[in-house]
Structure formats: C-alpha cells, structure tokens
C-alpha cells in the first residue's frame, strides 16, 4: 500500500499569498496518477487536479499541480478567501487508492 | 447533469446491520465504477474500495475487506454499502463517488451519509 504524507499539516497564510502544499509518496506513483481535492466544512470533497498537473473542469487557473514519481506539489498562486479549506492528495495508480492525511489552509 | 444522491443519516446500535445507498443519475450507471470513502469525525478521507455496476467487479481496500460489503442494483442505478454487525468505530460520514475512468480520481461525489453507532 502506498502511504502519502502531506506537509505541512497546517498552513497559515493571508489572502493574496502563495500557497505551496506537498505530498510525498512512500513509493513511486504509477503514471503520476496523483489527484488533489479541496474539502470545506460540511461539504463533500471537490476534485481540483488529476494526473499530477491537469486541472479538473471549472477549476480556476490559480490552482496548479506539479511533480512526478514520489514528490508532488499543489500551488495556489494567490490565495482567495474561498480557498481556505482542507486539501487532500490521492494516488490512484495502485490499489488501494490511498489519500494523504490532509493539509489545512487557514487564514493568518 | 451527473448526480449521486445518498440515503439519509442513520443512528444504530452496536451489533445491528445497516445498508446505505447511493443513486446515480444523468449518466449510464452501468458504465462507470462507484467508490466509497469513509471520513471519521474530524479526520481525513479513507478509500474503502470500488465496484463496477456492470459486472459487480469489486476491489476492497485491505483495511475494509471483510468489514463491509459493496453491491449494486443496476436496474435502479443504485449502489449499496452494507454492514452485518456495526461497531462504534464505524461512526463516520460515508461518501459514494464516481471516477471519470478507471483508474481515475473521483470527480463526482454524493452528499454523504452520516452513520452514528452508539449504545
């Protein structure tokens, strides 16, 4: 089973700042099948990025994904007030398709 | 419009059985896998497994194998998650979700079903 470790656990930023979230895999992710989700309180997760760097439909271009192999990054170029949430990475290259433990992006 | 609509919240006692449902609409239900994700109170997402409605091919996470059962009734476009004997530790929000391919991430999600197990 691939273990995904996200860092930091909590990221405190002001609106307009750049956010960099990390996801590290315990072994190489097949075909870079790595996704990022955003979850707000009381809501289901929303897919942001898949295939490590492809934005899902309707996702603003301030969200970008990068990385390959075992190290992946989600970047929010300028954080908007509605971006404060919890972010999860998920690998879907090897079953079970595990999630990371999440990074909370909070207002500074 | 693709929609996944889950059954309502449940409150059960330890040892009881339970089945929750997830009804798909707006697409060919038999064509796309349906997955289940657990989120315990205040915790992260856990991938439980996935089932293909067309042939009931099922993949369980080892963490959930033998603890739950997935099933589908494609005639009514509905997937099910069932427990034969609930434990307090099954208290969680359960989401069904659909990937746009297999393997694939989940791009459509149900609203979640809260299951509370308490004596």
């Amino acid at each position: 089973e691939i273990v995904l470790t996200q860092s930091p656990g909590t990221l405190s930023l002001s609106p307009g700042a750049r956010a960099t979230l990390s996801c590290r895999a315990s072994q190489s992710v097949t075909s870079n099948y790595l996704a990022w989700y955003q979850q707000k309180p009381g809501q289901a997760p929303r897919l942001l990025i898949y295939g490590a760097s492809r934005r899902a439909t309707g996702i603003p271009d301030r969200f970008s994904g990068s990385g390959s192999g075992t190290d992946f990054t989600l970047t929010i170029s300028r954080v908007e007030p509605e971006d404060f949430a919890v972010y999860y990475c998920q690998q879907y290259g090897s079953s079970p398709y595990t999630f990371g433990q999440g990074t909370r992006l909070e207002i500074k | 419009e693709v929609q996944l609509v889950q059954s309502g919240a449940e409150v059960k006692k330890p040892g009881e059985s339970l089945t929750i449902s997830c009804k798909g609409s707006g697409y060919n239900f038999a064509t796309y896998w349906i997955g289940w994700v657990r989120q315990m109170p205040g915790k992260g997402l856990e991938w439980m497994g996935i089932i293909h409605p067309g042939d009931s091919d099922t993949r369980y996470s080892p963490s959930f194998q033998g603890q739950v059962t997935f099933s589908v009734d494609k005639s009514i476009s509905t997937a099910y998650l069932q427990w034969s004997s609930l434990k307090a530790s099954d208290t969680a929000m359960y989401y069904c979700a659909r990937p746009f391919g297999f393997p694939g991430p989940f791009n459509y999600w149900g609203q979640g079903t809260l299951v509370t197990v308490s004596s």
Side-chain angles (χ1 to χ4, degrees), chain A residues 33 35 37 39 43-45 47 50 88 90 92 95-97 99-101, chain B residues 39 43-45 47 61-62 95 100 102-107 109-110:
Chain A
Y33 283 161
Y37 300 85
Q39 188 179 33
Q43 296 184 17
L47 177 66
Y50 65 97
Y88 296 94
Q90 181 203 18
Y92 53 96
S95 183
Y97 297 158
F99 289 94
Q101 84 280 17
Chain B
Q39 187 166 38
K43 302 299 184 183
L45 305 173
W47 189 84
S61 166
Y95 293 100
F100 52 69
F102 186 78
F106 294 129
N107 62 326
W109 292 72

PDB file of all heavy atoms in Angstrom, chain A residues 33 35 37 39 43-45 47 50 88 90 92 95-97 99-101, chain B residues 39 43-45 47 61-62 95 100 102-107 109-110:
ATOM      1  N   TYR A  33      -0.345   9.119 -11.413  1.00  0.00           N
ATOM      2  CA  TYR A  33      -1.781   9.167 -11.148  1.00  0.00           C
ATOM      3  C   TYR A  33      -2.000   9.732  -9.741  1.00  0.00           C
ATOM      4  O   TYR A  33      -2.310   9.023  -8.781  1.00  0.00           O
ATOM      5  CB  TYR A  33      -2.402   7.789 -11.276  1.00  0.00           C
ATOM      6  CG  TYR A  33      -2.616   7.306 -12.686  1.00  0.00           C
ATOM      7  CD1 TYR A  33      -2.809   5.945 -12.944  1.00  0.00           C
ATOM      8  CD2 TYR A  33      -2.640   8.183 -13.768  1.00  0.00           C
ATOM      9  CE1 TYR A  33      -3.025   5.489 -14.237  1.00  0.00           C
ATOM     10  CE2 TYR A  33      -2.839   7.733 -15.058  1.00  0.00           C
ATOM     11  CZ  TYR A  33      -3.040   6.388 -15.287  1.00  0.00           C
ATOM     12  OH  TYR A  33      -3.245   5.941 -16.557  1.00  0.00           O
ATOM     13  N   ALA A  35      -3.939  12.917  -7.586  1.00  0.00           N
ATOM     14  CA  ALA A  35      -5.001  13.916  -7.611  1.00  0.00           C
ATOM     15  C   ALA A  35      -4.970  14.754  -6.344  1.00  0.00           C
ATOM     16  O   ALA A  35      -4.449  14.326  -5.304  1.00  0.00           O
ATOM     17  CB  ALA A  35      -6.363  13.229  -7.741  1.00  0.00           C
ATOM     18  N   TYR A  37      -7.661  17.241  -3.944  1.00  0.00           N
ATOM     19  CA  TYR A  37      -9.030  17.600  -3.635  1.00  0.00           C
ATOM     20  C   TYR A  37      -9.052  18.734  -2.614  1.00  0.00           C
ATOM     21  O   TYR A  37      -8.150  18.847  -1.779  1.00  0.00           O
ATOM     22  CB  TYR A  37      -9.788  16.423  -3.021  1.00  0.00           C
ATOM     23  CG  TYR A  37      -9.895  15.189  -3.891  1.00  0.00           C
ATOM     24  CD1 TYR A  37      -8.879  14.245  -3.905  1.00  0.00           C
ATOM     25  CD2 TYR A  37     -11.010  14.976  -4.691  1.00  0.00           C
ATOM     26  CE1 TYR A  37      -8.965  13.114  -4.693  1.00  0.00           C
ATOM     27  CE2 TYR A  37     -11.115  13.836  -5.482  1.00  0.00           C
ATOM     28  CZ  TYR A  37     -10.089  12.913  -5.475  1.00  0.00           C
ATOM     29  OH  TYR A  37     -10.187  11.785  -6.256  1.00  0.00           O
ATOM     30  N   GLN A  39     -11.644  20.254   0.392  1.00  0.00           N
ATOM     31  CA  GLN A  39     -12.845  19.984   1.173  1.00  0.00           C
ATOM     32  C   GLN A  39     -13.103  21.124   2.156  1.00  0.00           C
ATOM     33  O   GLN A  39     -12.225  21.466   2.954  1.00  0.00           O
ATOM     34  CB  GLN A  39     -12.764  18.667   1.930  1.00  0.00           C
ATOM     35  CG  GLN A  39     -14.095  18.289   2.593  1.00  0.00           C
ATOM     36  CD  GLN A  39     -14.051  16.978   3.341  1.00  0.00           C
ATOM     37  OE1 GLN A  39     -13.047  16.589   3.900  1.00  0.00           O
ATOM     38  NE2 GLN A  39     -15.187  16.275   3.354  1.00  0.00           N
ATOM     39  N   GLN A  43     -19.032  19.837   3.535  1.00  0.00           N
ATOM     40  CA  GLN A  43     -19.173  19.563   2.105  1.00  0.00           C
ATOM     41  C   GLN A  43     -18.389  18.317   1.709  1.00  0.00           C
ATOM     42  O   GLN A  43     -17.419  17.931   2.378  1.00  0.00           O
ATOM     43  CB  GLN A  43     -18.679  20.745   1.277  1.00  0.00           C
ATOM     44  CG  GLN A  43     -19.480  22.015   1.458  1.00  0.00           C
ATOM     45  CD  GLN A  43     -19.002  23.121   0.531  1.00  0.00           C
ATOM     46  OE1 GLN A  43     -18.297  22.878  -0.463  1.00  0.00           O
ATOM     47  NE2 GLN A  43     -19.399  24.342   0.827  1.00  0.00           N
ATOM     48  N   ALA A  44     -18.801  17.726   0.601  1.00  0.00           N
ATOM     49  CA  ALA A  44     -18.020  16.643   0.004  1.00  0.00           C
ATOM     50  C   ALA A  44     -16.752  17.227  -0.617  1.00  0.00           C
ATOM     51  O   ALA A  44     -16.696  18.420  -0.963  1.00  0.00           O
ATOM     52  CB  ALA A  44     -18.844  15.926  -1.063  1.00  0.00           C
ATOM     53  N   PRO A  45     -15.725  16.417  -0.755  1.00  0.00           N
ATOM     54  CA  PRO A  45     -14.515  16.901  -1.435  1.00  0.00           C
ATOM     55  C   PRO A  45     -14.817  17.287  -2.880  1.00  0.00           C
ATOM     56  O   PRO A  45     -15.777  16.809  -3.480  1.00  0.00           O
ATOM     57  CB  PRO A  45     -13.582  15.685  -1.372  1.00  0.00           C
ATOM     58  CG  PRO A  45     -14.069  14.885  -0.212  1.00  0.00           C
ATOM     59  CD  PRO A  45     -15.563  15.065  -0.219  1.00  0.00           C
ATOM     60  N   LEU A  47     -12.776  17.683  -6.649  1.00  0.00           N
ATOM     61  CA  LEU A  47     -11.560  17.391  -7.390  1.00  0.00           C
ATOM     62  C   LEU A  47     -10.990  18.673  -7.977  1.00  0.00           C
ATOM     63  O   LEU A  47     -11.699  19.418  -8.659  1.00  0.00           O
ATOM     64  CB  LEU A  47     -11.853  16.375  -8.504  1.00  0.00           C
ATOM     65  CG  LEU A  47     -10.679  16.011  -9.421  1.00  0.00           C
ATOM     66  CD1 LEU A  47      -9.600  15.272  -8.653  1.00  0.00           C
ATOM     67  CD2 LEU A  47     -11.179  15.168 -10.597  1.00  0.00           C
ATOM     68  N   TYR A  50      -5.848  16.352 -11.410  1.00  0.00           N
ATOM     69  CA  TYR A  50      -5.627  14.931 -11.613  1.00  0.00           C
ATOM     70  C   TYR A  50      -4.444  14.741 -12.550  1.00  0.00           C
ATOM     71  O   TYR A  50      -4.010  15.704 -13.198  1.00  0.00           O
ATOM     72  CB  TYR A  50      -6.891  14.251 -12.160  1.00  0.00           C
ATOM     73  CG  TYR A  50      -7.292  14.708 -13.545  1.00  0.00           C
ATOM     74  CD1 TYR A  50      -6.935  13.985 -14.684  1.00  0.00           C
ATOM     75  CD2 TYR A  50      -8.027  15.875 -13.720  1.00  0.00           C
ATOM     76  CE1 TYR A  50      -7.295  14.401 -15.944  1.00  0.00           C
ATOM     77  CE2 TYR A  50      -8.392  16.303 -14.986  1.00  0.00           C
ATOM     78  CZ  TYR A  50      -8.027  15.562 -16.091  1.00  0.00           C
ATOM     79  OH  TYR A  50      -8.383  15.990 -17.351  1.00  0.00           O
ATOM     80  N   TYR A  88      -6.469  17.461   0.187  1.00  0.00           N
ATOM     81  CA  TYR A  88      -6.005  16.085   0.238  1.00  0.00           C
ATOM     82  C   TYR A  88      -5.388  15.695  -1.101  1.00  0.00           C
ATOM     83  O   TYR A  88      -5.923  16.056  -2.157  1.00  0.00           O
ATOM     84  CB  TYR A  88      -7.163  15.116   0.514  1.00  0.00           C
ATOM     85  CG  TYR A  88      -7.832  15.289   1.848  1.00  0.00           C
ATOM     86  CD1 TYR A  88      -8.961  16.083   1.998  1.00  0.00           C
ATOM     87  CD2 TYR A  88      -7.334  14.644   2.981  1.00  0.00           C
ATOM     88  CE1 TYR A  88      -9.585  16.234   3.233  1.00  0.00           C
ATOM     89  CE2 TYR A  88      -7.947  14.789   4.218  1.00  0.00           C
ATOM     90  CZ  TYR A  88      -9.059  15.592   4.332  1.00  0.00           C
ATOM     91  OH  TYR A  88      -9.679  15.739   5.565  1.00  0.00           O
ATOM     92  N   GLN A  90      -4.376  12.216  -3.400  1.00  0.00           N
ATOM     93  CA  GLN A  90      -4.760  10.816  -3.542  1.00  0.00           C
ATOM     94  C   GLN A  90      -3.991  10.217  -4.706  1.00  0.00           C
ATOM     95  O   GLN A  90      -3.877  10.849  -5.759  1.00  0.00           O
ATOM     96  CB  GLN A  90      -6.265  10.682  -3.825  1.00  0.00           C
ATOM     97  CG  GLN A  90      -6.726   9.225  -3.953  1.00  0.00           C
ATOM     98  CD  GLN A  90      -8.010   9.053  -4.756  1.00  0.00           C
ATOM     99  OE1 GLN A  90      -8.429   9.928  -5.511  1.00  0.00           O
ATOM    100  NE2 GLN A  90      -8.664   7.919  -4.576  1.00  0.00           N
ATOM    101  N   TYR A  92      -4.022   7.125  -7.420  1.00  0.00           N
ATOM    102  CA  TYR A  92      -4.941   6.148  -7.982  1.00  0.00           C
ATOM    103  C   TYR A  92      -4.218   5.268  -9.020  1.00  0.00           C
ATOM    104  O   TYR A  92      -4.820   4.789  -9.977  1.00  0.00           O
ATOM    105  CB  TYR A  92      -6.181   6.835  -8.579  1.00  0.00           C
ATOM    106  CG  TYR A  92      -5.902   7.938  -9.577  1.00  0.00           C
ATOM    107  CD1 TYR A  92      -5.914   7.701 -10.935  1.00  0.00           C
ATOM    108  CD2 TYR A  92      -5.639   9.235  -9.140  1.00  0.00           C
ATOM    109  CE1 TYR A  92      -5.677   8.712 -11.845  1.00  0.00           C
ATOM    110  CE2 TYR A  92      -5.390  10.250 -10.032  1.00  0.00           C
ATOM    111  CZ  TYR A  92      -5.408   9.990 -11.390  1.00  0.00           C
ATOM    112  OH  TYR A  92      -5.158  11.005 -12.283  1.00  0.00           O
ATOM    113  N   SER A  95      -3.888   0.019  -6.328  1.00  0.00           N
ATOM    114  CA  SER A  95      -4.923  -0.244  -5.342  1.00  0.00           C
ATOM    115  C   SER A  95      -4.288  -0.755  -4.045  1.00  0.00           C
ATOM    116  O   SER A  95      -3.367  -1.578  -4.092  1.00  0.00           O
ATOM    117  CB  SER A  95      -5.902  -1.283  -5.891  1.00  0.00           C
ATOM    118  OG  SER A  95      -6.957  -1.518  -4.998  1.00  0.00           O
ATOM    119  N   PRO A  96      -4.750  -0.313  -2.877  1.00  0.00           N
ATOM    120  CA  PRO A  96      -5.819   0.656  -2.612  1.00  0.00           C
ATOM    121  C   PRO A  96      -5.403   2.084  -2.952  1.00  0.00           C
ATOM    122  O   PRO A  96      -4.269   2.469  -2.720  1.00  0.00           O
ATOM    123  CB  PRO A  96      -6.069   0.505  -1.105  1.00  0.00           C
ATOM    124  CG  PRO A  96      -4.743   0.083  -0.549  1.00  0.00           C
ATOM    125  CD  PRO A  96      -4.142  -0.797  -1.606  1.00  0.00           C
ATOM    126  N   TYR A  97      -6.357   2.855  -3.440  1.00  0.00           N
ATOM    127  CA  TYR A  97      -6.091   4.206  -3.930  1.00  0.00           C
ATOM    128  C   TYR A  97      -6.094   5.192  -2.760  1.00  0.00           C
ATOM    129  O   TYR A  97      -7.033   5.924  -2.542  1.00  0.00           O
ATOM    130  CB  TYR A  97      -7.127   4.591  -4.980  1.00  0.00           C
ATOM    131  CG  TYR A  97      -7.106   3.726  -6.221  1.00  0.00           C
ATOM    132  CD1 TYR A  97      -8.214   3.632  -7.057  1.00  0.00           C
ATOM    133  CD2 TYR A  97      -5.976   3.003  -6.584  1.00  0.00           C
ATOM    134  CE1 TYR A  97      -8.193   2.850  -8.194  1.00  0.00           C
ATOM    135  CE2 TYR A  97      -5.941   2.217  -7.717  1.00  0.00           C
ATOM    136  CZ  TYR A  97      -7.060   2.149  -8.516  1.00  0.00           C
ATOM    137  OH  TYR A  97      -7.039   1.364  -9.642  1.00  0.00           O
ATOM    138  N   PHE A  99      -5.374   8.055   0.230  1.00  0.00           N
ATOM    139  CA  PHE A  99      -5.351   9.500   0.413  1.00  0.00           C
ATOM    140  C   PHE A  99      -4.246   9.873   1.396  1.00  0.00           C
ATOM    141  O   PHE A  99      -3.884   9.094   2.284  1.00  0.00           O
ATOM    142  CB  PHE A  99      -6.681   9.987   1.014  1.00  0.00           C
ATOM    143  CG  PHE A  99      -7.857   9.934   0.085  1.00  0.00           C
ATOM    144  CD1 PHE A  99      -8.701   8.832   0.083  1.00  0.00           C
ATOM    145  CD2 PHE A  99      -8.156  11.002  -0.759  1.00  0.00           C
ATOM    146  CE1 PHE A  99      -9.805   8.779  -0.755  1.00  0.00           C
ATOM    147  CE2 PHE A  99      -9.265  10.953  -1.598  1.00  0.00           C
ATOM    148  CZ  PHE A  99     -10.077   9.838  -1.599  1.00  0.00           C
ATOM    149  N   GLY A 100      -3.748  11.094   1.246  1.00  0.00           N
ATOM    150  CA  GLY A 100      -2.915  11.677   2.279  1.00  0.00           C
ATOM    151  C   GLY A 100      -3.775  12.118   3.452  1.00  0.00           C
ATOM    152  O   GLY A 100      -5.013  12.097   3.378  1.00  0.00           O
ATOM    153  N   GLN A 101      -3.122  12.552   4.535  1.00  0.00           N
ATOM    154  CA  GLN A 101      -3.853  12.895   5.750  1.00  0.00           C
ATOM    155  C   GLN A 101      -4.434  14.297   5.724  1.00  0.00           C
ATOM    156  O   GLN A 101      -5.197  14.672   6.623  1.00  0.00           O
ATOM    157  CB  GLN A 101      -2.957  12.702   6.985  1.00  0.00           C
ATOM    158  CG  GLN A 101      -2.036  13.886   7.298  1.00  0.00           C
ATOM    159  CD  GLN A 101      -0.788  13.943   6.447  1.00  0.00           C
ATOM    160  OE1 GLN A 101      -0.668  13.311   5.386  1.00  0.00           O
ATOM    161  NE2 GLN A 101       0.170  14.745   6.913  1.00  0.00           N
TER     162      GLN A 101
ATOM    163  N   GLN B  39     -15.037   8.997   6.156  1.00  0.00           N
ATOM    164  CA  GLN B  39     -14.418  10.112   6.873  1.00  0.00           C
ATOM    165  C   GLN B  39     -14.918  10.084   8.306  1.00  0.00           C
ATOM    166  O   GLN B  39     -16.073  10.439   8.588  1.00  0.00           O
ATOM    167  CB  GLN B  39     -14.740  11.456   6.214  1.00  0.00           C
ATOM    168  CG  GLN B  39     -13.971  12.606   6.837  1.00  0.00           C
ATOM    169  CD  GLN B  39     -14.015  13.854   5.980  1.00  0.00           C
ATOM    170  OE1 GLN B  39     -15.028  14.181   5.365  1.00  0.00           O
ATOM    171  NE2 GLN B  39     -12.893  14.578   5.924  1.00  0.00           N
ATOM    172  N   LYS B  43     -11.598  13.725  10.980  1.00  0.00           N
ATOM    173  CA  LYS B  43     -10.432  13.050  10.383  1.00  0.00           C
ATOM    174  C   LYS B  43     -10.420  13.168   8.859  1.00  0.00           C
ATOM    175  O   LYS B  43     -11.272  13.824   8.265  1.00  0.00           O
ATOM    176  CB  LYS B  43     -10.435  11.569  10.787  1.00  0.00           C
ATOM    177  CG  LYS B  43     -10.413  11.346  12.289  1.00  0.00           C
ATOM    178  CD  LYS B  43      -9.171  11.919  12.934  1.00  0.00           C
ATOM    179  CE  LYS B  43      -9.131  11.597  14.425  1.00  0.00           C
ATOM    180  NZ  LYS B  43      -7.954  12.222  15.096  1.00  0.00           N
ATOM    181  N   GLY B  44      -9.450  12.514   8.256  1.00  0.00           N
ATOM    182  CA  GLY B  44      -9.264  12.591   6.817  1.00  0.00           C
ATOM    183  C   GLY B  44     -10.069  11.567   6.047  1.00  0.00           C
ATOM    184  O   GLY B  44     -10.898  10.842   6.603  1.00  0.00           O
ATOM    185  N   LEU B  45      -9.808  11.531   4.755  1.00  0.00           N
ATOM    186  CA  LEU B  45     -10.521  10.649   3.832  1.00  0.00           C
ATOM    187  C   LEU B  45      -9.828   9.293   3.757  1.00  0.00           C
ATOM    188  O   LEU B  45      -8.597   9.217   3.714  1.00  0.00           O
ATOM    189  CB  LEU B  45     -10.549  11.283   2.438  1.00  0.00           C
ATOM    190  CG  LEU B  45     -11.119  12.689   2.338  1.00  0.00           C
ATOM    191  CD1 LEU B  45     -10.917  13.247   0.938  1.00  0.00           C
ATOM    192  CD2 LEU B  45     -12.591  12.720   2.732  1.00  0.00           C
ATOM    193  N   TRP B  47     -10.020   5.670   1.465  1.00  0.00           N
ATOM    194  CA  TRP B  47     -10.572   4.950   0.317  1.00  0.00           C
ATOM    195  C   TRP B  47     -10.955   3.544   0.757  1.00  0.00           C
ATOM    196  O   TRP B  47     -10.099   2.751   1.158  1.00  0.00           O
ATOM    197  CB  TRP B  47      -9.522   4.914  -0.784  1.00  0.00           C
ATOM    198  CG  TRP B  47      -9.968   4.416  -2.108  1.00  0.00           C
ATOM    199  CD1 TRP B  47     -10.584   5.133  -3.093  1.00  0.00           C
ATOM    200  CD2 TRP B  47      -9.800   3.090  -2.621  1.00  0.00           C
ATOM    201  NE1 TRP B  47     -10.818   4.323  -4.183  1.00  0.00           N
ATOM    202  CE2 TRP B  47     -10.348   3.076  -3.920  1.00  0.00           C
ATOM    203  CE3 TRP B  47      -9.246   1.899  -2.112  1.00  0.00           C
ATOM    204  CZ2 TRP B  47     -10.358   1.930  -4.715  1.00  0.00           C
ATOM    205  CZ3 TRP B  47      -9.247   0.771  -2.903  1.00  0.00           C
ATOM    206  CH2 TRP B  47      -9.802   0.790  -4.188  1.00  0.00           C
ATOM    207  N   SER B  61     -10.288  -2.078  -0.236  1.00  0.00           N
ATOM    208  CA  SER B  61      -9.066  -1.783   0.483  1.00  0.00           C
ATOM    209  C   SER B  61      -8.861  -2.887   1.524  1.00  0.00           C
ATOM    210  O   SER B  61      -9.827  -3.326   2.165  1.00  0.00           O
ATOM    211  CB  SER B  61      -9.180  -0.438   1.192  1.00  0.00           C
ATOM    212  OG  SER B  61      -8.145  -0.288   2.141  1.00  0.00           O
ATOM    213  N   PRO B  62      -7.629  -3.332   1.746  1.00  0.00           N
ATOM    214  CA  PRO B  62      -7.391  -4.351   2.789  1.00  0.00           C
ATOM    215  C   PRO B  62      -7.934  -3.925   4.155  1.00  0.00           C
ATOM    216  O   PRO B  62      -8.343  -4.773   4.947  1.00  0.00           O
ATOM    217  CB  PRO B  62      -5.866  -4.465   2.816  1.00  0.00           C
ATOM    218  CG  PRO B  62      -5.435  -4.097   1.446  1.00  0.00           C
ATOM    219  CD  PRO B  62      -6.397  -3.005   1.007  1.00  0.00           C
ATOM    220  N   TYR B  95     -19.114   8.607   1.951  1.00  0.00           N
ATOM    221  CA  TYR B  95     -19.392   9.202   0.648  1.00  0.00           C
ATOM    222  C   TYR B  95     -19.318   8.122  -0.434  1.00  0.00           C
ATOM    223  O   TYR B  95     -18.413   7.275  -0.417  1.00  0.00           O
ATOM    224  CB  TYR B  95     -18.349  10.266   0.294  1.00  0.00           C
ATOM    225  CG  TYR B  95     -18.358  11.495   1.153  1.00  0.00           C
ATOM    226  CD1 TYR B  95     -17.438  11.669   2.185  1.00  0.00           C
ATOM    227  CD2 TYR B  95     -19.271  12.519   0.930  1.00  0.00           C
ATOM    228  CE1 TYR B  95     -17.428  12.810   2.963  1.00  0.00           C
ATOM    229  CE2 TYR B  95     -19.271  13.676   1.703  1.00  0.00           C
ATOM    230  CZ  TYR B  95     -18.348  13.809   2.723  1.00  0.00           C
ATOM    231  OH  TYR B  95     -18.341  14.943   3.488  1.00  0.00           O
ATOM    232  N   PHE B 100     -14.027   9.424 -13.441  1.00  0.00           N
ATOM    233  CA  PHE B 100     -14.381   9.542 -14.863  1.00  0.00           C
ATOM    234  C   PHE B 100     -13.747   8.452 -15.695  1.00  0.00           C
ATOM    235  O   PHE B 100     -13.978   8.363 -16.878  1.00  0.00           O
ATOM    236  CB  PHE B 100     -14.051  10.936 -15.415  1.00  0.00           C
ATOM    237  CG  PHE B 100     -12.657  11.413 -15.163  1.00  0.00           C
ATOM    238  CD1 PHE B 100     -11.560  10.836 -15.775  1.00  0.00           C
ATOM    239  CD2 PHE B 100     -12.451  12.502 -14.328  1.00  0.00           C
ATOM    240  CE1 PHE B 100     -10.277  11.306 -15.544  1.00  0.00           C
ATOM    241  CE2 PHE B 100     -11.169  12.988 -14.094  1.00  0.00           C
ATOM    242  CZ  PHE B 100     -10.075  12.399 -14.697  1.00  0.00           C
ATOM    243  N   PHE B 102     -11.285   4.425 -15.119  1.00  0.00           N
ATOM    244  CA  PHE B 102     -10.647   3.531 -14.160  1.00  0.00           C
ATOM    245  C   PHE B 102      -9.319   3.059 -14.719  1.00  0.00           C
ATOM    246  O   PHE B 102      -9.293   2.465 -15.798  1.00  0.00           O
ATOM    247  CB  PHE B 102     -11.538   2.336 -13.851  1.00  0.00           C
ATOM    248  CG  PHE B 102     -10.981   1.455 -12.759  1.00  0.00           C
ATOM    249  CD1 PHE B 102     -11.103   1.831 -11.436  1.00  0.00           C
ATOM    250  CD2 PHE B 102     -10.313   0.287 -13.071  1.00  0.00           C
ATOM    251  CE1 PHE B 102     -10.581   1.034 -10.424  1.00  0.00           C
ATOM    252  CE2 PHE B 102      -9.784  -0.527 -12.073  1.00  0.00           C
ATOM    253  CZ  PHE B 102      -9.924  -0.146 -10.748  1.00  0.00           C
ATOM    254  N   PRO B 103      -8.196   3.316 -14.018  1.00  0.00           N
ATOM    255  CA  PRO B 103      -8.212   4.026 -12.730  1.00  0.00           C
ATOM    256  C   PRO B 103      -8.455   5.522 -12.918  1.00  0.00           C
ATOM    257  O   PRO B 103      -8.186   6.068 -13.971  1.00  0.00           O
ATOM    258  CB  PRO B 103      -6.806   3.789 -12.190  1.00  0.00           C
ATOM    259  CG  PRO B 103      -5.962   3.643 -13.417  1.00  0.00           C
ATOM    260  CD  PRO B 103      -6.836   2.950 -14.422  1.00  0.00           C
ATOM    261  N   GLY B 104      -8.989   6.140 -11.900  1.00  0.00           N
ATOM    262  CA  GLY B 104      -9.242   7.553 -12.016  1.00  0.00           C
ATOM    263  C   GLY B 104      -9.616   8.157 -10.688  1.00  0.00           C
ATOM    264  O   GLY B 104     -10.068   7.451  -9.785  1.00  0.00           O
ATOM    265  N   PRO B 105      -9.433   9.464 -10.554  1.00  0.00           N
ATOM    266  CA  PRO B 105      -9.852  10.146  -9.343  1.00  0.00           C
ATOM    267  C   PRO B 105     -11.370  10.322  -9.355  1.00  0.00           C
ATOM    268  O   PRO B 105     -12.010  10.167 -10.400  1.00  0.00           O
ATOM    269  CB  PRO B 105      -9.151  11.494  -9.446  1.00  0.00           C
ATOM    270  CG  PRO B 105      -9.139  11.761 -10.919  1.00  0.00           C
ATOM    271  CD  PRO B 105      -8.935  10.420 -11.579  1.00  0.00           C
ATOM    272  N   PHE B 106     -11.915  10.682  -8.212  1.00  0.00           N
ATOM    273  CA  PHE B 106     -13.362  10.863  -8.099  1.00  0.00           C
ATOM    274  C   PHE B 106     -13.733  12.295  -8.483  1.00  0.00           C
ATOM    275  O   PHE B 106     -13.371  13.240  -7.778  1.00  0.00           O
ATOM    276  CB  PHE B 106     -13.822  10.585  -6.672  1.00  0.00           C
ATOM    277  CG  PHE B 106     -13.648   9.150  -6.236  1.00  0.00           C
ATOM    278  CD1 PHE B 106     -13.002   8.841  -5.056  1.00  0.00           C
ATOM    279  CD2 PHE B 106     -14.151   8.115  -7.012  1.00  0.00           C
ATOM    280  CE1 PHE B 106     -12.852   7.524  -4.642  1.00  0.00           C
ATOM    281  CE2 PHE B 106     -14.013   6.790  -6.600  1.00  0.00           C
ATOM    282  CZ  PHE B 106     -13.362   6.503  -5.407  1.00  0.00           C
ATOM    283  N   ASN B 107     -14.442  12.457  -9.579  1.00  0.00           N
ATOM    284  CA  ASN B 107     -14.846  13.818  -9.958  1.00  0.00           C
ATOM    285  C   ASN B 107     -16.316  14.083  -9.683  1.00  0.00           C
ATOM    286  O   ASN B 107     -16.769  15.217  -9.836  1.00  0.00           O
ATOM    287  CB  ASN B 107     -14.473  14.125 -11.416  1.00  0.00           C
ATOM    288  CG  ASN B 107     -15.158  13.223 -12.400  1.00  0.00           C
ATOM    289  OD1 ASN B 107     -15.399  12.063 -12.121  1.00  0.00           O
ATOM    290  ND2 ASN B 107     -15.457  13.739 -13.577  1.00  0.00           N
ATOM    291  N   TRP B 109     -19.246  13.336  -6.541  1.00  0.00           N
ATOM    292  CA  TRP B 109     -19.411  12.870  -5.167  1.00  0.00           C
ATOM    293  C   TRP B 109     -20.870  12.963  -4.735  1.00  0.00           C
ATOM    294  O   TRP B 109     -21.578  13.896  -5.131  1.00  0.00           O
ATOM    295  CB  TRP B 109     -18.579  13.721  -4.201  1.00  0.00           C
ATOM    296  CG  TRP B 109     -17.101  13.558  -4.370  1.00  0.00           C
ATOM    297  CD1 TRP B 109     -16.321  14.032  -5.403  1.00  0.00           C
ATOM    298  CD2 TRP B 109     -16.213  12.889  -3.475  1.00  0.00           C
ATOM    299  NE1 TRP B 109     -15.012  13.685  -5.188  1.00  0.00           N
ATOM    300  CE2 TRP B 109     -14.911  12.993  -4.022  1.00  0.00           C
ATOM    301  CE3 TRP B 109     -16.372  12.215  -2.264  1.00  0.00           C
ATOM    302  CZ2 TRP B 109     -13.791  12.436  -3.389  1.00  0.00           C
ATOM    303  CZ3 TRP B 109     -15.258  11.676  -1.630  1.00  0.00           C
ATOM    304  CH2 TRP B 109     -13.979  11.777  -2.202  1.00  0.00           C
ATOM    305  N   GLY B 110     -21.305  11.991  -3.933  1.00  0.00           N
ATOM    306  CA  GLY B 110     -22.572  12.120  -3.254  1.00  0.00           C
ATOM    307  C   GLY B 110     -22.445  13.125  -2.109  1.00  0.00           C
ATOM    308  O   GLY B 110     -21.347  13.606  -1.798  1.00  0.00           O
TER     309      GLY B 110
END
